[in-house]
Amino acid sequence: FMALRPAGISVKAEQLRRADGKTIYLMPTVHVGDAEFYEKISKEIPTNSIVLMEGVTDRKHHLRNKLRYKKLASAVGLKEQVVEFDPSRGDERRADVDIDDFSPETIEFIELVSRLHNEGPTPGTLLPILRKSQDQAMVRSFWKDILEKRNTNLLSEIHNALGESDNIVVPWGVAHMPGLQKALLSDGFKIEKSTQYTVVSFGKRKTDTQP
């Protein structure tokens, strides 16, 4: 769902349709990219769709530092998804979990990553992450929380939304897409169309649609 090409870094969006006409738009996103990328995918959202949004909440305020990408985006000359992406063409709904659903180890690691994004790379922000990354059990638990648990919740939200609309848009991080695609294909959906979008352009930007 993501590729490095001569023109830049691209993602592959997929339109999946079921025999009953229900359509799901898997729309891979990244936290930072070119403004043109977010503008293009925003315009691709059908006006009669439900848009299931990514975004882990923190209702019990576990994190001292909020996970932001402004510093990173500014450093590399890109834009933040949270600022540039506009899902308002559809009916926007939150479809993610709360951080309280994660293990204490995962929450601790997210806090370390959040601190890195807020303060920038220093020995004090990098070394704790490197040390934690050596714990393979923690890493497995982290990815189970970050990917598997959230995908399970999202698939439940997708099935609920299918009872209300024929068009469901899923603008989530690219890492979630392989698992979502596999589950939806098993549920009777078939890939109808794929579209390549350039997220970060090294030159000319373009969108290439393939039936």
Side-chain angles (χ1 to χ4, degrees):
F1 282 89
M2 177 175 277
L4 176 62
R5 303 177 184 277
I9 300 171
S10 67
V11 294
K12 179 182 68 173
E14 289 186 343
Q15 183 175 319
L16 292 81
R17 188 183 297 272
R18 204 164 59 184
D20 60 2
K22 299 287 185 179
T23 303
I24 296 176
Y25 300 81
L26 293 182
M27 189 175 286
T29 61
V30 292
H31 293 298
V32 297
D34 288 333
E36 291 87 348
F37 165 65
Y38 300 116
E39 181 181 356
K40 286 179 180 178
I41 63 173
S42 297
K43 291 179 178 178
E44 291 296 324
I45 296 174
T47 55
N48 59 343
S49 64
I50 293 175
V51 185
L52 298 178
M53 296 295 293
E54 180 180 15
V56 176
T57 54
D58 184 15
R59 296 190 179 96
K60 295 185 179 179
H61 307 289
H62 288 284
L63 300 180
R64 294 184 297 274
N65 296 285
K66 299 302 180 183
L67 189 55
R68 300 183 177 92
Y69 297 90
K70 183 177 181 179
K71 187 184 289 283
L72 172 62
S74 178
V76 294
L78 299 173
K79 301 295 184 180
E80 288 184 277
Q81 175 187 338
V82 68
V83 174
E84 299 294 331
F85 177 59
D86 180 10
S88 62
R89 283 172 56 87
D91 177 8
E92 180 183 353
R93 302 184 186 181
R94 196 187 73 82
D96 215 330
V97 301
D98 188 80
I99 200 168
D100 198 50
D101 296 318
F102 296 156
S103 70
E105 294 77 18
T106 294
I107 295 173
E108 181 182 1
F109 194 73
I110 293 174
E111 174 66 30
L112 294 175
V113 174
S114 301
R115 184 184 169 203
L116 171 64
H117 278 283
N118 280 277
E119 298 179 16
T122 67
T125 58
L126 285 171
L127 289 178
I129 293 175
L130 294 174
R131 284 195 292 266
K132 286 288 185 183
S133 300
Q134 302 305 309
D135 184 344
Q136 294 303 307
M138 188 285 298
V139 172
R140 287 193 295 270
S141 176
F142 174 80
W143 286 113
K144 184 175 182 179
D145 281 341
I146 292 297
L147 286 180
E148 296 178 24
K149 185 172 289 185
R150 294 169 68 203
N151 275 10
T152 296
N153 184 79
L154 175 56
L155 286 166
S156 177
E157 295 291 339
I158 288 173
H159 290 140
N160 290 338
L162 287 170
E164 302 179 48
S165 176
D166 289 338
N167 296 290
I168 310 300
V169 179
V170 185
W172 276 50
V174 66
H176 294 273
M177 294 298 148
L180 295 174
Q181 182 204 62
K182 181 179 179 180
L184 293 170
L185 292 176
S186 298
D187 198 33
F189 285 88
K190 295 183 178 180
I191 300 171
E192 185 176 64
K193 184 175 70 173
S194 63
T195 305
Q196 295 286 343
Y197 293 96
T198 299
V199 180
V200 178
S201 177
F202 301 151
K204 182 180 178 181
R205 299 178 177 88
K206 66 178 182 178
T207 301
D208 178 26
T209 302
Q210 300 173 343

